[in-house]
Amino acid sequence: MNLQERVRELESAYKKYLLKKIFKILFYFLFTALLIGVIFLIVQNHYKQKSISSEALNYKKKLEQNIIKAKILQEKNKIIREKFIQENNITKASNSKIQIDSKVFNIAILKNSFYKNPNYERALILAREYYQIKDYKKSIFWALKANDIDKKAEDSWLIFAKAQIALGYQDEAKRALDAYLDSYGLIEKELEND
């Protein structure tokens, strides 16, 4: 073996050594990058899960609060409905005289005025006036007219229910109040004895 062959052999061995060293460094670099990527994905997934569970917990709390509010509102509505029906039954049972307001309305003038320019207030006044003089069918008619103009206003619903009770139709009155409560929520006015 001569010197040139030996030099080539050493150069070849050195190239293999350098190649192994480069592969080793490349392997460590790829392994480290892969490890960092996996750790990043795990941490990102953890925060994502934490965010989702936090949102779910907040949503659950909000739902529980809404359920509690709905139960309270339902209980209030039930109490108001029972109070309304009870007060109207007491009013119907007692034969006490109705106190007439000092403000006198001419029903014919009000009706003409309503037909010229229909509005909620005139229809409601007519419904109340007919209720006061115990003409419950006309009171129901005008309460329905007022309701056609403004379905969300509770006064027309209340007069309608009172007139129905006065005619002995408690179930109709209850259905009307239930329909109002289902559509528009709690009746906020105090029920009046008429």
Side-chain angles (χ1 to χ4, degrees), residues 81 84-85 140 143-144 147 151 153-154 156-165 169-185 187:
R81 192 178 316 117
F84 175 76
I85 290 172
I140 289 171
L144 289 172
N147 186 273
K151 291 189 184 332
E154 62 192 43
S156 61
W157 290 84
L158 292 172
I159 291 173
F160 176 84
K162 287 179 182 181
Q164 290 285 9
I165 289 171
Y169 302 123
Q170 279 85 1
D171 291 339
E172 289 293 322
K174 186 178 183 305
R175 274 197 294 272
L177 291 175
D178 286 341
Y180 178 84
L181 294 173
D182 289 343
S183 298
Y184 306 109
I187 295 177

Side-chain angles (χ1 to χ4, degrees), residues 107-131 133 135-150 155-157 159-160 163:
I107 291 177
I109 293 173
L110 273 172
K111 282 168 53 173
N112 287 335
S113 175
F114 175 82
Y115 285 120
K116 286 179 185 174
N117 184 16
N119 71 27
Y120 176 79
E121 289 76 21
R122 288 186 190 113
L124 187 64
I125 291 170
L126 284 163
R128 284 184 178 146
E129 287 301 308
Y130 279 116
Y131 183 84
I133 61 173
D135 191 343
Y136 301 121
K137 288 184 179 184
K138 286 185 181 177
S139 178
I140 289 171
F141 172 81
W142 286 103
L144 289 172
K145 285 278 192 193
N147 186 273
D148 286 341
I149 295 169
D150 186 358
D155 291 333
S156 61
W157 290 84
I159 291 173
F160 176 84

Side-chain angles (χ1 to χ4, degrees), residues 53-65:
S53 65
S54 174
E55 286 178 23
L57 186 61
N58 288 339
Y59 185 71
K60 181 182 175 187
K61 285 180 183 178
K62 197 180 283 186
L63 281 177
E64 287 173 349
Q65 289 173 349

Side-chain angles (χ1 to χ4, degrees), residues 4-189:
Q4 278 185 336
E5 286 180 14
R6 180 75 182 137
V7 169
R8 276 190 217 137
E9 203 177 284
L10 285 174
E11 283 178 352
S12 173
Y14 183 71
K15 286 180 184 178
K16 286 181 184 178
Y17 168 76
L18 284 178
L19 211 58
K20 282 183 182 179
K21 191 174 182 181
I22 289 172
F23 280 133
K24 199 175 190 181
I25 290 171
L26 188 60
F27 174 75
Y28 285 135
F29 177 75
L30 288 174
F31 180 76
T32 305
L34 184 64
L35 187 63
I36 289 172
V38 168
I39 290 172
F40 176 76
L41 288 175
I42 290 171
V43 169
Q44 188 179 22
N45 190 32
H46 171 72
Y47 282 115
K48 188 176 180 182
Q49 290 294 335
K50 193 174 181 180
S51 172
I52 289 171
S53 65
S54 174
E55 286 178 23
L57 186 61
N58 288 339
Y59 185 71
K60 181 182 175 187
K61 285 180 183 178
K62 197 180 283 186
L63 281 177
E64 287 173 349
Q65 289 173 349
N66 287 343
I67 289 171
I68 290 170
K69 286 179 184 176
K71 285 181 181 179
I72 291 170
L73 185 62
Q74 188 178 22
E75 230 11 76
K76 282 182 181 178
N77 289 339
K78 182 179 176 184
I79 291 168
I80 288 172
R81 192 178 316 117
E82 288 172 357
K83 183 179 176 183
F84 175 76
I85 290 172
Q86 182 183 15
E87 285 179 357
N88 278 306
N89 286 339
I90 290 172
T91 301
K92 187 178 175 186
S94 68
N95 291 328
S96 62
K97 292 184 179 180
I98 299 173
Q99 182 181 356
I100 298 176
D101 198 354
S102 62
K103 192 174 187 180
V104 177
F105 291 103
N106 185 336
I107 291 177
I109 293 173
L110 273 172
K111 282 168 53 173
N112 287 335
S113 175
F114 175 82
Y115 285 120
K116 286 179 185 174
N117 184 16
N119 71 27
Y120 176 79
E121 289 76 21
R122 288 186 190 113
L124 187 64
I125 291 170
L126 284 163
R128 284 184 178 146
E129 287 301 308
Y130 279 116
Y131 183 84
Q132 290 294 324
I133 61 173
K134 297 185 180 188
D135 191 343
Y136 301 121
K137 288 184 179 184
K138 286 185 181 177
S139 178
I140 289 171
F141 172 81
W142 286 103
L144 289 172
K145 285 278 192 193
N147 186 273
D148 286 341
I149 295 169
D150 186 358
K151 291 189 184 332
K152 290 183 182 180
E154 62 192 43
D155 291 333
S156 61
W157 290 84
L158 292 172
I159 291 173
F160 176 84
K162 287 179 182 181
Q164 290 285 9
I165 289 171
L167 290 172
Y169 302 123
Q170 279 85 1
D171 291 339
E172 289 293 322
K174 186 178 183 305
R175 274 197 294 272
L177 291 175
D178 286 341
Y180 178 84
L181 294 173
D182 289 343
S183 298
Y184 306 109
L186 178 65
I187 295 177
E188 296 183 14
K189 290 195 177 199

